[in-house]
Amino acid sequence: MRRVASSGLALSVTAAFIALVFAALVTVGVLIVTGYPPVQTIEQMVTYGSEPDSVVNTINRATTFFLSAIAVAIGFQMKLFNIGVDGQYRLAAFLAAAAGGSAFVAGLPPGLQQLVIIVVAMLVGGVWAGIAGVLKVTRGVSEVISTIMLNFIGGGVISYLLSPGRLAIREGNNLTTRPIGPDGQVPGIPFPDANFAVYGLIVLAIVVGFLYHAGVRRTRFGFDLRATGLSAPAALASGVDVRRMTVAAMLLSGLVAGLVGIPQLLGDAHRFALDFPVGIGFTGIAIALLGRNNALGIALSALLFAFLTESAQILDLNEIPKEIVTITQAVVVLSVVVVYEVVHRFGVRIQRQAVGRQLATAEGGAAA
Amino acid sequence: MTSGERPVSPGETAVELRGITKRFPGVVANHDVDLTVRRGTVHAVVGENGAGKSTLMKILYGMQAPDEGMIAIDGETVRLGSPAEAIAHGIGMVHQHFMLAGNLTVLENVVLGAEKAHGIGAAARRRIMEISDAYGLDVQPDRLVAEQGVGQLQRVEILKVLYRGARTLILDEPTAVLVPQEVDKLFGNLRELKREGLTVIFISHKLDEVLSVADEITVMRQGTTVASVDPAGTSARELATLMVGGELPVPELRESTVTDTPVLDVRGLTVRTDEGRAVVSDVTFTIHEGEILGIAGVEGNGQAELIEALMGVRQPESGGIRLGERDIASWPTKRRREAGIGYIPEDRHRQGLLLESPLWENRILGHQGEFAPRGVLRLGRARADTRRIVDSYDVRTPGIGVDVDALSGGNQQKLIVGREMSGTPRVLIAAHPTRGVDVGAQAAIWEHLRAARADGLAVLLISADLDELIGMSDTLRVIYRGELVAELDPASVTPEDLGSAMTGARPEAPEAPDSPDRPDRPDGPEAAGGDAGEDTKDA
């Protein structure tokens, strides 16, 4: 009995493993075809990637990736495709940075400043995603369309407001919000032999991960969320208000999305400038897929993606195009989707056979 | 296309199946099926829902491989691995649900995927017209599929199959979607096909139709062929007996447990579609403690909408619903369920289960409040209670961690029934509670219903099984076009009377001249079901 039930986890791990091996093979193939020595290249990446500074960068990147993927995964639980995480976190980080740099927040006691910044970011992210949720339940607009449109609108809003006289100041060639003072920053966690520190708000990401896991698996809300994703008619008949859940899921996804830029904002950048990172929302989609919406899976996937991105930095120095790594990441996601589907079908078949066998013996025994 | 050139000699065997067995997890869909179809005949395969007709036809059409047994076409043993191979052997299938692209013309639909046969131009058109004229199919090749009615579309489907060179046509419940005039026309077409030496295998459970069109009838029951009969020498009653077998459990209530305490009181309930058509109009009834109220009706006469309105899934236009002393008309579904309304939905796969979730999560579905009183799920309690249901409702499963998907339909239904009868509900809304379950489970579910009724449960029972309705109801009402039109006494009513009441005929005039009922019809539900269903569609 136990074997039938627990085969799901084993199959998931197997699938991820197969996908990774496959992606590694493809990468090696690409390296060979383009004329770079595969073994040496990988060695370089591993060596560089395991230097203390790289490890810190990997962890920090993984923290943002993780938050982004959790935001996406909340939507995925309900089969909602929030591809607007990118716009949500950027707008949220921008407005939170602007708030954090304002005279009003600077006047608050330390501790409260960080809290205000975080709450502003979450609210902005939540509102921006919530718009898509409301549009979906009231007007039937697909969240895929509305969130991606909101990305552009968000970008436009940032461009408009990030200009001198509005919410920005000029610093050399760069436009930036007013910097957040030391009382509003979050100190890093020192890492041995590294020149940088690990973002202090990694703690926040871990808390979010636990809340996500417990919320989805152990609460009524999470059950309703998953039920709606698995079968909306069944959820409706069971008493779930599907429309309300849609809005709630988008809101929650947006609240978490709002946090994506915060560890970096409060731990390192202290301001939102034109060079604030873009595209983490899309990376988050890939990581959520790879991690199968599971908090631990997402954490491991985020670390993997962060490591690949970080260790690729060395490639340019050795005149190997670092886009190779982008290929690897893409192949991982593509193959994981395919392999999971294959493995899932295989699992279903095994389970059915197990059920059939069990019943056959039960009936045979009864007859005999 | 080899069989296309064969000389036609009527009477010889076109299709022969011997000892076909097909097992699915937990169920044997077909076992030891023998079927002999002579060329140039219409051969009907009849049986109840779940008797294994569809599985057998899927095997013959190459969609599923049998585990055991032999298939011979024109005397030659064949292995059919795919529909393409079946077509190559001259076997074609007309599905119950049309497989046509609405925005293409008839011509385009016919040649789609068979471009090799006659191209896509003038030759194809010529061939289509030839076939159409030869069998009186009367198709117009240049009209869009989307503009045509179901009868015409069915002829297009038949033509499609013939165009691909089929000599044997399988028609899966072809009359289910047709109005009576179209049924006549279809039967005319079938006679044409037969005259030209083609063979038709006709799947149905409408006995009067089968008797009027078939040359031979094979009866299936519980996965196997039980008899081959000549329609000239049999009656619908005899066929029905063969179909269900002799030893079915009898649904019956013993002494009355009905009390005077109203539990569910519905007044003037009206539900309209988005287009404004009343699908439930002015429905009023009361169910008391310990009472089972049966509602008979041909499917599509408002039962689904009535249930959805009672559950709060659909918003009624007007009317009052009281649960005991409380007015629940404005309550959301969740609150109604928590107040003690159990719900066995009509479509268990869509509305009753999370197929890809384990049994114990499905136990929580619809009872979230019970297992998460303060928002946090009590997983241990859910698991324990799932084990209890598995034991007391005899759900055949290796464990409660298995996905529901892996269970057979009957076992899924037992899980749902067990779940909805848990926690002492006050009202149970049960739509087709024993549909698709095996005989033993059916008896068990009835027994559970009787026990709960004795404990004061009020049940609204909706079923297509008239024997179940008559046997299990304390009070029996008939719904027709959204209205409760008649109240019958379950102690004295016969399925025939009930069947005619369901078609809208007044019970006061049982021998009304325009009654579509035939005096010797034993299976009122399905036969009448077809007729009246078409009436409503006509309107």
Side-chain angles (χ1 to χ4, degrees), chain A residues 132-197:
Chain A
V134 171
L135 281 176
K136 188 178 173 78
V137 299
T138 56
R139 312 301 318 161
V141 182
S142 160
E143 77 285 359
V144 175
I145 310 254
S146 55
T147 51
I148 204 149
M149 289 300 164
L150 283 163
N151 281 350
F152 287 103
I153 298 173
V157 171
I158 294 172
S159 305
Y160 175 78
L161 292 176
L162 193 65
S163 77
R166 298 204 175 94
L167 292 176
I169 53 172
R170 193 176 290 278
E171 262 185 11
N173 273 340
N174 208 353
L175 287 172
T176 167
T177 58
R178 282 184 185 77
I180 298 166
D183 286 349
Q185 301 174 2
V186 175
I189 303 165
F191 191 83
D193 299 327
N195 295 315
F196 320 117

Side-chain angles (χ1 to χ4, degrees), chain A residues 77-102:
Chain A
Q77 293 288 354
M78 242 187 87
K79 297 229 163 76
L80 284 173
F81 215 133
N82 180 6
I83 46 179
V85 171
D86 215 58
Q88 288 146 24
Y89 89 78
R90 279 179 60 79
L91 191 64
F94 167 65
L95 290 177
S102 70

Side-chain angles (χ1 to χ4, degrees), chain A residues 274-355:
Chain A
L274 287 176
D275 56 358
F276 202 81
V278 197
I280 297 171
F282 297 105
T283 313
I285 297 174
I287 293 170
L289 281 173
L290 181 58
R292 298 303 284 171
N293 299 334
N294 172 291
L296 188 62
I298 289 175
L300 294 175
S301 311
L303 279 168
L304 174 73
F305 266 58
F307 171 78
L308 287 173
T309 314
E310 180 59 27
S311 56
Q313 308 288 335
I314 190 69
L315 295 180
D316 270 349
L317 296 178
N318 293 308
E319 299 190 338
I320 299 170
K322 69 173 173 204
E323 282 70 23
I324 297 271
V325 164
T326 315
I327 295 178
T328 311
Q329 292 175 334
V331 174
V332 170
V333 173
L334 203 58
S335 48
V336 92
V337 172
V338 175
V339 175
Y340 269 127
E341 187 54 39
V342 172
V343 165
H344 174 72
R345 284 188 200 165
F346 178 72
V348 166
R349 219 173 56 222
I350 298 232
Q351 201 173 43
R352 283 176 182 241
Q353 278 167 359
V355 172

Side-chain angles (χ1 to χ4, degrees), chain A residues 22-83:
Chain A
F22 181 70
L25 289 177
V26 170
T27 312
V28 168
V30 171
L31 284 168
I32 291 172
V33 168
T34 50
Y36 299 103
V39 178
Q40 213 180 326
T41 309
I42 293 170
E43 259 173 22
Q44 280 173 7
M45 285 177 64
V46 172
T47 314
Y48 175 76
S50 47
E51 283 172 19
D53 281 357
S54 305
V55 172
V56 171
N57 281 335
T58 299
I59 293 173
N60 286 347
R61 256 183 229 278
T63 305
T64 30
F65 286 175
F66 177 79
L67 286 169
S68 167
I70 292 288
V72 174
I74 292 173
F76 276 170
Q77 293 288 354
M78 242 187 87
K79 297 229 163 76
L80 284 173
F81 215 133
N82 180 6
I83 46 179

Side-chain angles (χ1 to χ4, degrees), chain A residues 1 4-5 217-220 223-224 226-227 230-231 233-234 236-240 351-352 355-356 358-359 363, chain B residues 25-26 313 333-334 337-338 350-351 353 357 361 364-366 368-369 372 375-377 379 396 398 402-403 405:
Chain A
M1 173 190 309
V4 177
R217 291 276 142 200
R218 291 298 172 93
T219 66
R220 176 175 191 163
F223 184 89
D224 289 356
R226 282 184 295 133
L230 289 166
S231 167
L236 198 65
S238 84
V240 176
Q351 201 173 43
R352 283 176 182 241
V355 172
Q358 193 116 359
L359 299 181
E363 263 153 38
Chain B
V313 173
T333 308
K334 181 174 131 182
R337 275 185 164 275
E338 286 172 0
R350 275 185 77 248
Q351 298 175 297
L353 296 167
S357 296
E361 284 199 336
I364 300 173
L365 187 73
Q368 289 97 322
V376 178
L377 291 177
L379 303 188
R396 306 284 175 85
V402 180
D403 286 356
D405 212 5

Side-chain angles (χ1 to χ4, degrees), chain B residues 268-280:
Chain B
L269 192 71
T270 299
V271 180
R272 287 184 192 277
T273 60
D274 293 338
E275 297 87 47
R277 193 165 56 87
V279 277
V280 175

Side-chain angles (χ1 to χ4, degrees), chain A residues 215-280:
Chain A
V216 164
R217 291 276 142 200
R218 291 298 172 93
T219 66
R220 176 175 191 163
F221 179 83
F223 184 89
D224 289 356
L225 195 70
R226 282 184 295 133
T228 313
L230 289 166
S231 167
L236 198 65
S238 84
V240 176
D241 185 337
V242 171
R243 288 155 56 93
R244 191 183 294 168
M245 287 306 286
T246 304
V247 176
M250 280 312 273
L251 269 175
L252 273 177
S253 176
L255 288 177
V256 176
L259 290 174
V260 170
I262 295 304
Q264 181 171 9
L265 182 71
L266 297 187
D268 178 30
H270 309 314
R271 58 179 57 105
F272 186 98
L274 287 176
D275 56 358
F276 202 81
V278 197
I280 297 171

